[in-house]
Amino acid sequence: MKNRCYCKILDNIEIAPSIHKIEMERVDGLGNIKPGQFLHIKCSDALLLRRPISISYAEKDKVGIVVRKAGEGTVSLCNRKKGEILDVLGPLGNGFTVNDGKRVIVIGGGIGTAPLLELVKNLEEKDVTVLVGYKDMPYLVDDFKKYVKVVDVATEDGSVGYKGYVTDLLKAKLENDGADIIYSCGPEVMLKKVQKIAKEYKVKVQLSIEERMACGVGACLVCTCKVKSEDGVKQVRTCKDGPVFWGDEVMLGE
Amino acid sequence: MKNRCYCKILDNIEIAPSIHKIEMERVDGLGNIKPGQFLHIKCSDALLLRRPISISYAEKDKVGIVVRKAGEGTVSLCNRKKGEILDVLGPLGNGFTVNDGKRVIVIGGGIGTAPLLELVKNLEEKDVTVLVGYKDMPYLVDDFKKYVKVVDVATEDGSVGYKGYVTDLLKAKLENDGADIIYSCGPEVMLKKVQKIAKEYKVKVQLSIEERMACGVGACLVCTCKVKSEDGVKQVRTCKDGPVFWGDEVMLGE
Amino acid sequence: MSVDLNGLVLNNPVTVASGTFGFGREYGEYIDLNKIGAIAVKGLTLEERQGNPTPRVVETPMGMLNSVGLQNPGVDYFIKEELPYLSSYDTKIIANINGNTIYEYCKLAEKLSNTAVDALELNISCPNVKEGGVAFGRDPDMVYKVTKKVKENTDKYLIVKLSPNVADIKEIGASAESGGANCLSLINTLIGMGIDIEKQKPILARGIGGLSGPAVKPVAVRMVYEVSKAVNIPIIGMGGIMNYQDAVEFFLAGAWTVAVGTANFVNPMVSIEILEGIEEYLKRKGYSSIKALVGQLKF
Amino acid sequence: MSVDLNGLVLNNPVTVASGTFGFGREYGEYIDLNKIGAIAVKGLTLEERQGNPTPRVVETPMGMLNSVGLQNPGVDYFIKEELPYLSSYDTKIIANINGNTIYEYCKLAEKLSNTAVDALELNISCPNVKEGGVAFGRDPDMVYKVTKKVKENTDKYLIVKLSPNVADIKEIGASAESGGANCLSLINTLIGMGIDIEKQKPILARGIGGLSGPAVKPVAVRMVYEVSKAVNIPIIGMGGIMNYQDAVEFFLAGAWTVAVGTANFVNPMVSIEILEGIEEYLKRKGYSSIKALVGQLKF
Ligand SMILES: Cc1cc2nc3c(=O)[nH]c(=O)nc-3n(C[C@H](O)[C@H](O)[C@H](O)COP(=O)(O)OP(=O)(O)OC[C@H]3O[C@@H](n4cnc5c(N)ncnc54)[C@H](O)[C@@H]3O)c2cc1C
Ligand SMILES: Cc1cc2nc3c(=O)[nH]c(=O)nc-3n(C[C@H](O)[C@H](O)[C@H](O)COP(=O)(O)OP(=O)(O)OC[C@H]3O[C@@H](n4cnc5c(N)ncnc54)[C@H](O)[C@@H]3O)c2cc1C
Ligand SMILES: Cc1cc2nc3c(=O)[nH]c(=O)nc-3n(C[C@H](O)[C@H](O)[C@H](O)COP(=O)(O)O)c2cc1C
Ligand SMILES: Cc1cc2nc3c(=O)[nH]c(=O)nc-3n(C[C@H](O)[C@H](O)[C@H](O)COP(=O)(O)O)c2cc1C
Ligand code: FES
Ligand code: FES
């Protein structure tokens, strides 16, 4: 039977303004972890619901998450201290499908870069390009560099790397080299562009999307999104059937 | 203008099972403190209302409280750590009247002994007897001994001092030596006995009582109790007009 | 710790609330469903429903608003694809049914009558559908009528689920009783709204939603107490139950059984923990059965 | 940031709710009362009232139940002993009045007509009195009648305070408007109950009480939104406002002014902090007046 887990916080550091990397014990209850899966975390006693946070990396005895202070829940989470115990449910969700194709592009925007770290760790045999975009201050770039040679950075203000959107880099890469598959996570506007570009270049793409959640396990139906399939449009649950969907199926923001 | 104060916790130690002594910074905003006054403390973000906790002792640059884990609020308070900041309102309430009579008996039961410490500190010129009663494990006894010679302890199980109720000691003391005034704080059953005994021996008595509170400052009227006066029974606010009342006036549990 | 709701016998008095437990599969991975008194399944309609657009949830102070809007695969699919799974467990199955008209309610009852479901729960109180729903739940005559008609169309044990968005819930409960309800369940959600002040629009795509969770518990306990004084049929109490202490409040107020809703989202194991807590409480207080506790409020 | 409620002009749109601010004296030690838009005083009755026995308060998840039961020194005492103090401040004074009969409401209005109070607030919704109170607030005809009668007996600006314990608050609001109300205030408290499971009795001596605080905010915002669509008079919005963000939700939903209640108990300075927050929000969003924000919900 699955269970909720109590994981001790091993470390909590601010890696960029308002961005924390939190490392916790990997207790046995967590079981296997696939890249793209998330934890559903009770951030504070003062908040009723859990918050979905992607697993950024998993090692033998620890699990790392990267959290952006977005509101009350994530602020509380970022304020939790080393030694405190986190109440987590998971790993939840489907995760990325990693066995498709050789030439891979991994493209992330902002906090959406977090889950891609565990993904690239699982793409060792492949020919991987990582494209990451940020508003201003990049983070996790060095972590990506541990696993892949090509990590191209874009910032909107041009402070680091290419000045502009990371999707421009995607377009250029596809134009020059092509790819077999694209994996992406980031804000909805970015995912929509990635989806469109992938279609244009006829490359398969997996998108990890976000939706407000309550249960996180597929029971409450508050997190649905729409996917197109042969028998028409179907509603699926982001938490259980996702958060990763094929780009030619998922209907973003509809 | 009065204000709420943010006081850093300087120390928090468990002085008996489920009883914590918490010392905090005495910030300027707290102003003057009279014995018997209380602080209205925000114990946790997860709870809406503050909790009234007596000032147990006040020194030049620190204030001490003694808290019994009674429920969610006091448990949270006892779990607060050194270095954390407490949001407090106060000092609130009237406090004890300390200028009456020479031969003084101070009698407390359980956590009701806490505010009596600051009281005895302010009775230096007097002839003071302290009587304190507990279920089993006494606490604060050594603190009282710093200020008064006679500190008689009663425990219900007889593990320390007299076996039985502290009100038995009061009766004996009055029988043998009499007194000019009694000050008391403790559970309602005890206060009722003290009130009765004081009446029997015709000794003035001040009782510090407890009532559930919301505002703590006299505005909401949830904490009323009844006092008899010449013009009949009047309703007064425990938080503002009390928590200390004269024994011949206050109507306990009515 | 079995409890007999005048004809519907549950293994124990902890059930799960409709819409918070899907069709059981998801939480079946976390707990042994045999240990739950009954499972009220997600609200069913005659046809498949897509429900409302997202966002469908807002967190509020110690509560949540949902506007799922009765998304469900339709009653036929339920009977064919979900019921067999549920029936494999030793727990009672409550089919929560939702119509826009009395005819639809009757049709739903008919379809479920020869199936393995143990009881029907007439949801006349869902705030998330545009027609029918709420209007039914607010008008005592309509409540009487729909209850009576459905009762005529089924042999199943009939529970009527009451809306808290009324002036006098006693009156509504009494109407359902007169109409032939075997049992009442309450409360459904209070209607609420949450606004995003930066975007200056409601957070829920549909604007309003149903408030559940600890925030509503005081209202729910009061309503269960009121209704229990006004009717002679069993009550399933719910609204903000997070732990055994909350559950005991409902029993004391007059509920024969409790249902756990929103709490499942926070802790998938909570219903079992609540059951264990109740067992200990009964032992500690010297009660030989849950029934002995029901309505024992000294007041 | 003054706001004109069609005749009643407040220095700013942050007021304090009746029963949570006494007669101003206590919080006058913490804040400059001149900085508050208006003060609604503790509910007044013709005669002095002792209110309910204690305990009168229960904390609930992000809320509280109170059963003060309109303890007050009576309207004559108020006029003589409290009003002069309040009048010394540059803020509007709202007298919250409570009767058991229409006659009593009229009598109260009469007594207050030639005094320094700026407005009357007809509380037809207090859940803590046995007669009158709630019954008035639930019946549209009664609401119309009492409003009309009181209006005939006074020249004062008349606010009618609505109860949330109704099925359709739009209807009640509209009745008050037809009766001649200049303004509506909402919500009063939801009726709730809390039980001590060890003693097996209600925590409040009176059993039930009024729920206020953040827990009720989603319900309050929804009701303000609904009523604002149904009437053409100003609305004073309240229910769980703890910070400026909450206040802005109410403005967007259609409140012309907000009232802060339970939050005062947590933070005596909160009304001023909320006012400052609103000022910054207006600046940040480019509004030149609070009025420009009212009802601007995009939905
Ligand atoms: C599958 C998944 C994985 C995620 N992984 C990460 C991650 O690795 N790191 C990270 O920092 N964030 C991640 N997020 C986003 C994160 O869940 C939200 O930022 C967080 O829920 C906001 O909560 P809050 O209380 O801080 O903010 P508030 O804005 O106060 O939240 C209010 C409510 O809105 C919901 N909400 C707000 N923003 C989002 C959002 N973007 N997605 C879903 N719900 C939202 C919250 O859950 C909450 O119920 C992920 C979201 C999903 C769905
Ligand atoms: C003037 C005054 C001085 C006090 N001084 C101290 C002190 O120095 N040390 C100490 O440990 N305790 C003191 N108490 C009691 C303390 O306030 C309660 O134990 C505390 O409020 C319980 O809150 P809780 O959340 O832990 O318990 P819960 O039982 O969960 O509280 C639930 C509610 O009941 C109220 N409540 C419960 N018990 C009491 C009580 N005895 N008095 C008032 N309200 C109560 C709480 O405020 C809260 O609103 C004092 C009380 C008063 C009125
Ligand atoms: C996400 C969600 C969906 C719900 N769907 C239904 C439903 O389909 N039918 C129904 O009768 N009640 C539904 N409810 C109401 C619950 O069954 C229950 O009455 C309510 O949530 C109060 O209990 P709680 O506070 O424990 O959640 C739903 C509640 C939630 C939170
Ligand atoms: C302790 C207390 C006493 C109250 N007394 C009154 C009253 O006398 N008259 C009245 O109209 N409302 C009274 N109310 C209701 C408030 O004015 C307000 O409508 C309600 O509390 C909701 O706002 P809040 O959640 O900000 O407190 C009282 C509320 C509380 C908490
Ligand atoms: S969050 Fe409950 S189904 Fe996805
Ligand atoms: S607690 Fe509000 S008047 Fe005493």
Side-chain angles (χ1 to χ4, degrees):
Chain A
M1 288 260 154
K2 291 186 187 171
N3 211 317
R4 64 172 157 176
C5 300
Y6 298 98
C7 305
K8 190 190 268 184
I9 298 178
L10 302 173
D11 210 356
N12 177 348
I13 49 171
E14 192 175 34
I15 58 170
S18 292
I19 310 282
H20 283 240
K21 184 196 277 189
I22 301 172
E23 244 171 40
M24 66 189 94
E25 238 179 329
R26 180 170 184 172
V27 299
D28 287 345
L30 290 173
N32 287 331
I33 293 174
K34 286 179 62 185
Q37 287 191 306
F38 66 92
L39 299 176
H40 212 26
I41 305 181
K42 189 87 168 93
C43 298
S44 119
D45 288 345
L47 293 167
L48 181 62
L49 299 176
R50 293 170 181 271
R51 299 289 185 269
I53 300 291
S54 301
I55 293 167
S56 180
Y57 56 92
E59 294 174 16
K60 199 166 161 296
D61 45 16
K62 60 189 180 189
V63 170
I65 56 175
V66 180
V67 185
R68 186 178 66 91
K69 290 184 180 172
E72 230 182 307
T74 44
V75 167
S76 293
L77 185 55
C78 290
N79 287 338
R80 302 292 291 270
K81 300 209 165 41
K82 193 171 155 167
E84 289 186 44
I85 305 293
L86 277 186
D87 171 358
V88 310
L89 219 59
L92 301 174
N94 57 355
F96 291 101
T97 311
V98 294
N99 50 359
D100 285 66
K102 179 98 185 91
R103 292 169 310 148
V104 178
I105 302 177
V106 172
I107 170 170
I111 195 67
T113 52
L116 302 178
L117 196 54
E118 181 63 16
L119 175 67
V120 298
K121 276 178 56 188
N122 282 267
L123 295 173
E124 270 172 309
E125 322 271 85
K126 319 250 177 179
D127 162 15
V128 181
T129 303
V130 171
L131 309 174
V132 283
Y134 307 86
K135 258 219 175 67
D136 36 39
M137 291 275 282
Y139 43 87
L140 296 183
V141 177
D142 289 343
D143 301 80
F144 281 108
K145 285 191 175 153
K146 277 189 250 166
Y147 306 102
V148 280
K149 263 178 278 163
V150 193
V151 180
D152 283 347
V153 179
T155 53
E156 288 179 36
D157 67 354
S159 55
V160 182
Y162 170 78
K163 179 176 174 16
Y165 293 116
V166 67
T167 45
D168 301 345
L169 299 181
L170 173 65
K171 215 162 171 163
K173 174 74 185 165
L174 289 174
E175 195 62 49
N176 296 334
D177 307 321
D180 297 321
I181 186 162
I182 302 169
Y183 298 103
S184 187
C185 183
E188 194 174 273
V189 278
M190 182 195 114
L191 294 183
K192 277 187 170 167
K193 278 198 207 161
V194 172
Q195 190 180 32
K196 195 164 153 255
I197 294 167
K199 191 175 176 187
E200 218 172 292
Y201 289 88
K202 300 203 177 61
V203 183
K204 287 196 292 184
V205 60
Q206 284 209 313
L207 307 172
S208 177
I209 71 166
E210 289 186 359
E211 201 43 84
R212 285 175 175 249
M213 294 183 182
C215 72
V217 302
C220 74
L221 306 184
V222 305
C223 68
T224 47
C225 67
K226 292 185 173 139
V227 296
K228 282 175 292 201
S229 70
E230 281 159 28
D231 13 304
V233 174
K234 233 179 42 180
Q235 283 197 115
V236 295
R237 299 158 300 180
T238 304
C239 66
K240 182 88 176 178
D241 307 309
V244 179
F245 295 99
W246 288 104
D248 56 345
E249 294 184 354
V250 68
M251 297 162 73
L252 294 175
E254 285 175 71
Chain B
M1 288 261 156
K2 290 185 187 172
N3 212 316
R4 65 172 158 175
C5 299
Y6 297 99
C7 304
K8 190 190 270 185
I9 297 177
L10 303 174
D11 211 356
N12 178 347
I13 48 169
E14 192 175 32
I15 57 169
S18 292
I19 309 284
H20 283 239
K21 184 196 276 189
I22 301 172
E23 246 172 40
M24 65 189 95
E25 238 179 329
R26 180 170 183 169
V27 300
D28 288 345
L30 290 173
N32 287 332
I33 293 174
K34 284 179 62 184
Q37 287 190 307
F38 66 93
L39 299 176
H40 212 25
I41 305 181
K42 190 86 166 94
C43 298
S44 119
D45 288 346
L47 293 168
L48 181 62
L49 299 176
R50 293 169 181 271
R51 297 289 185 268
I53 301 289
S54 302
I55 292 167
S56 180
Y57 56 91
E59 292 173 18
K60 199 165 162 297
D61 44 16
K62 59 189 179 190
V63 171
I65 57 176
V66 181
V67 184
R68 185 177 69 89
K69 290 184 179 170
E72 231 183 308
T74 45
V75 167
S76 294
L77 185 55
C78 291
N79 287 340
R80 302 292 292 269
K81 301 210 164 37
K82 194 171 156 167
E84 289 185 45
I85 305 293
L86 279 185
D87 170 358
V88 309
L89 220 59
L92 302 174
N94 57 356
F96 292 102
T97 311
V98 295
N99 50 1
D100 284 66
K102 180 97 185 88
R103 291 169 312 151
V104 178
I105 302 176
V106 171
I107 170 170
I111 195 68
T113 53
L116 302 177
L117 196 56
E118 181 64 16
L119 176 67
V120 300
K121 277 176 58 188
N122 282 267
L123 296 172
E124 271 174 307
E125 321 274 83
K126 319 252 178 178
D127 163 13
V128 181
T129 303
V130 170
L131 309 174
V132 283
Y134 307 87
K135 256 219 177 67
D136 37 38
M137 291 276 283
Y139 42 87
L140 295 184
V141 177
D142 290 342
D143 301 78
F144 281 110
K145 284 192 175 152
K146 277 190 247 164
Y147 306 102
V148 280
K149 261 177 283 165
V150 194
V151 180
D152 284 348
V153 179
T155 53
E156 287 179 37
D157 67 353
S159 56
V160 182
Y162 171 80
K163 178 175 177 8
Y165 292 117
V166 67
T167 44
D168 301 343
L169 299 180
L170 173 65
K171 211 157 172 169
K173 175 76 186 166
L174 288 175
E175 194 62 50
N176 296 334
D177 308 322
D180 297 323
I181 187 163
I182 303 168
Y183 297 103
S184 188
C185 184
E188 195 175 270
V189 279
M190 182 196 114
L191 293 182
K192 277 188 172 168
K193 278 196 206 164
V194 171
Q195 192 180 31
K196 194 165 154 255
I197 294 168
K199 192 175 174 188
E200 216 173 294
Y201 289 88
K202 299 201 178 62
V203 183
K204 287 198 290 188
V205 60
Q206 284 208 314
L207 307 172
S208 178
I209 71 166
E210 289 185 359
E211 200 43 84
R212 283 173 177 252
M213 295 182 180
C215 72
V217 302
C220 73
L221 306 184
V222 305
C223 68
T224 48
C225 65
K226 292 188 173 137
V227 298
K228 284 174 294 199
S229 70
E230 280 158 30
D231 13 305
V233 174
K234 233 178 44 182
Q235 284 198 114
V236 295
R237 299 158 300 181
T238 303
C239 67
K240 182 87 177 180
D241 307 309
V244 179
F245 295 100
W246 287 105
D248 55 345
E249 293 184 353
V250 66
M251 296 161 74
L252 294 175
E254 285 174 70
Chain C
M1 217 202 318
S2 86
V3 54
D4 181 350
L5 304 179
N6 290 356
L8 183 71
V9 182
L10 312 183
N11 288 340
N12 70 65
V14 179
T15 75
V16 289
S18 175
T20 67
F21 212 77
F23 297 114
R25 291 185 195 271
E26 294 78 16
Y27 288 116
E29 297 182 21
Y30 287 87
I31 55 173
D32 177 358
L33 299 184
N34 295 306
K35 289 200 182 151
I36 308 236
I39 296 174
V41 303
K42 175 66 198 164
L44 300 168
T45 52
L46 273 180
E47 306 294 331
E48 179 182 356
R49 276 184 72 122
Q50 298 294 320
N52 293 319
T54 57
R56 292 179 174 182
V57 64
V58 188
E59 178 156 352
T60 68
M62 281 298 130
M64 62 173 271
L65 292 168
N66 89 81
S67 68
V68 171
L70 289 174
Q71 177 186 332
N72 81 95
V75 66
D76 295 328
Y77 181 96
F78 166 74
I79 293 169
K80 212 167 129 235
E81 307 291 340
E82 300 289 353
L83 193 51
Y85 167 79
L86 276 171
S87 308
S88 69
Y89 289 97
D90 178 24
T91 183
K92 295 290 182 271
I93 304 158
I94 300 173
N96 182 275
I97 59 173
N98 300 265
N100 287 324
T101 58
I102 292 185
Y103 173 80
E104 283 183 19
Y105 279 108
C106 293
K107 200 81 199 152
L108 280 158
E110 240 177 77
K111 286 195 181 240
L112 289 158
S113 285
N114 297 313
T115 68
V117 306
D118 299 287
L120 303 181
E121 182 175 51
L122 212 63
N123 181 13
I124 48 169
S125 49
C126 179
N128 290 326
V129 288
K130 274 192 178 134
E131 323 86 20
V134 171
F136 275 115
R138 287 179 176 176
D139 177 350
D141 293 338
M142 280 294 255
V143 170
Y144 172 79
K145 224 151 95 190
V146 67
T147 308
K148 194 160 170 349
K149 285 281 178 198
V150 169
K151 194 68 197 168
E152 283 167 13
N153 281 275
T154 185
D155 297 330
K156 294 283 181 197
Y157 184 90
L158 184 63
I159 304 162
V160 175
K161 184 157 181 183
L162 307 183
S163 164
N165 302 291
V166 298
D168 185 357
I169 195 159
K170 299 187 294 297
E171 192 186 18
I172 309 286
S175 299
E177 183 181 31
S178 313
N182 298 100
C183 177
L184 302 174
S185 61
L186 64 151
I187 62 175
N188 210 314
T189 53
L190 280 161
I191 308 173
M193 188 177 207
I195 294 174
D196 181 329
I197 67 164
E198 294 307 323
K199 298 189 186 140
Q200 305 192 324
K201 42 180 223 177
I203 301 174
L204 297 174
R206 204 172 112 61
I208 58 168
L211 183 63
S212 64
V216 310
K217 191 189 66 171
V219 175
V221 171
R222 185 262 299 179
M223 289 186 162
V224 165
Y225 177 75
E226 281 183 355
V227 172
S228 77
K229 296 285 160 197
V231 302
N232 291 306
I233 48 178
I235 291 173
I236 303 175
M238 70 191 89
I241 296 176
M242 299 299 284
N243 49 43
Y244 90 86
Q245 291 93 332
D246 295 336
V248 171
E249 283 195 59
F250 280 83
F251 289 120
L252 288 167
W256 296 39
T257 289
V258 294
V260 180
T262 302
N264 293 304
F265 305 159
V266 183
N267 173 11
M269 275 71 65
V270 74
S271 46
I272 308 294
E273 291 171 13
I274 289 172
L275 179 60
E276 289 166 356
I278 295 169
E279 277 165 355
E280 271 168 42
Y281 178 88
L282 291 183
K283 201 176 292 167
R284 177 155 64 79
K285 290 282 187 179
Y287 291 98
S288 57
S289 74
I290 187 73
K291 196 64 209 303
L293 182 67
V294 174
Q296 289 307 306
L297 192 71
K298 292 168 200 124
F299 183 50
Chain D
M1 219 204 315
S2 86
V3 54
D4 182 349
L5 305 178
N6 289 358
L8 183 70
V9 182
L10 312 184
N11 288 340
N12 71 64
V14 179
T15 76
V16 289
S18 174
T20 68
F21 214 76
F23 298 114
R25 291 185 195 271
E26 294 78 16
Y27 288 115
E29 297 182 23
Y30 288 87
I31 55 174
D32 178 358
L33 299 183
N34 296 305
K35 289 199 182 151
I36 308 239
I39 296 174
V41 303
K42 175 65 197 163
L44 300 169
T45 52
L46 273 181
E47 306 294 331
E48 179 182 355
R49 275 182 74 122
Q50 299 293 319
N52 294 319
T54 55
R56 292 179 173 182
V57 65
V58 189
E59 178 155 352
T60 69
M62 281 298 131
M64 63 174 270
L65 293 166
N66 89 80
S67 69
V68 171
L70 289 175
Q71 177 185 331
N72 81 94
V75 66
D76 295 328
Y77 181 96
F78 166 74
I79 294 169
K80 214 168 127 233
E81 306 292 340
E82 300 289 352
L83 193 50
Y85 166 80
L86 277 170
S87 310
S88 69
Y89 290 96
D90 178 24
T91 182
K92 295 290 183 269
I93 304 158
I94 300 173
N96 182 275
I97 59 174
N98 300 266
N100 286 324
T101 59
I102 293 187
Y103 173 80
E104 283 183 18
Y105 279 108
C106 293
K107 201 78 200 155
L108 280 157
E110 241 178 74
K111 284 193 183 245
L112 289 159
S113 285
N114 297 315
T115 68
V117 306
D118 299 287
L120 303 182
E121 182 175 49
L122 212 62
N123 180 13
I124 48 170
S125 49
C126 178
N128 290 326
V129 288
K130 276 193 177 131
E131 320 87 20
V134 170
F136 274 115
R138 287 179 177 175
D139 177 352
D141 293 339
M142 279 295 256
V143 170
Y144 171 79
K145 223 151 100 190
V146 67
T147 308
K148 194 159 170 353
K149 284 283 177 194
V150 169
K151 193 70 197 167
E152 283 168 13
N153 280 276
T154 186
D155 297 331
K156 294 284 181 196
Y157 184 90
L158 184 64
I159 304 162
V160 175
K161 184 159 182 181
L162 308 182
S163 165
N165 302 290
V166 299
D168 184 357
I169 196 158
K170 299 186 294 297
E171 190 186 20
I172 309 285
S175 298
E177 182 181 32
S178 313
N182 299 98
C183 177
L184 301 174
S185 60
L186 63 150
I187 61 173
N188 209 314
T189 53
L190 279 162
I191 308 175
M193 189 177 205
I195 293 175
D196 181 329
I197 66 164
E198 294 307 323
K199 299 189 184 141
Q200 305 193 323
K201 40 182 225 178
I203 301 175
L204 297 174
R206 205 171 111 61
I208 57 168
L211 183 64
S212 64
V216 309
K217 191 190 67 171
V219 175
V221 171
R222 184 263 298 180
M223 288 187 163
V224 164
Y225 177 74
E226 282 183 356
V227 172
S228 78
K229 297 284 159 198
V231 303
N232 291 306
I233 49 178
I235 291 173
I236 302 175
M238 69 190 91
I241 297 176
M242 299 299 285
N243 48 44
Y244 90 87
Q245 291 94 330
D246 294 336
V248 170
E249 283 195 58
F250 280 85
F251 290 119
L252 288 166
W256 296 39
T257 289
V258 293
V260 180
T262 302
N264 292 303
F265 306 158
V266 183
N267 173 9
M269 275 71 63
V270 73
S271 47
I272 308 294
E273 291 171 15
I274 290 172
L275 179 60
E276 289 165 357
I278 295 169
E279 276 164 355
E280 271 167 45
Y281 178 88
L282 291 183
K283 201 176 293 168
R284 177 155 65 81
K285 290 283 188 179
Y287 291 98
S288 57
S289 73
I290 187 72
K291 195 64 208 305
L293 182 67
V294 173
Q296 289 308 303
L297 191 70
K298 291 167 201 126
F299 184 49

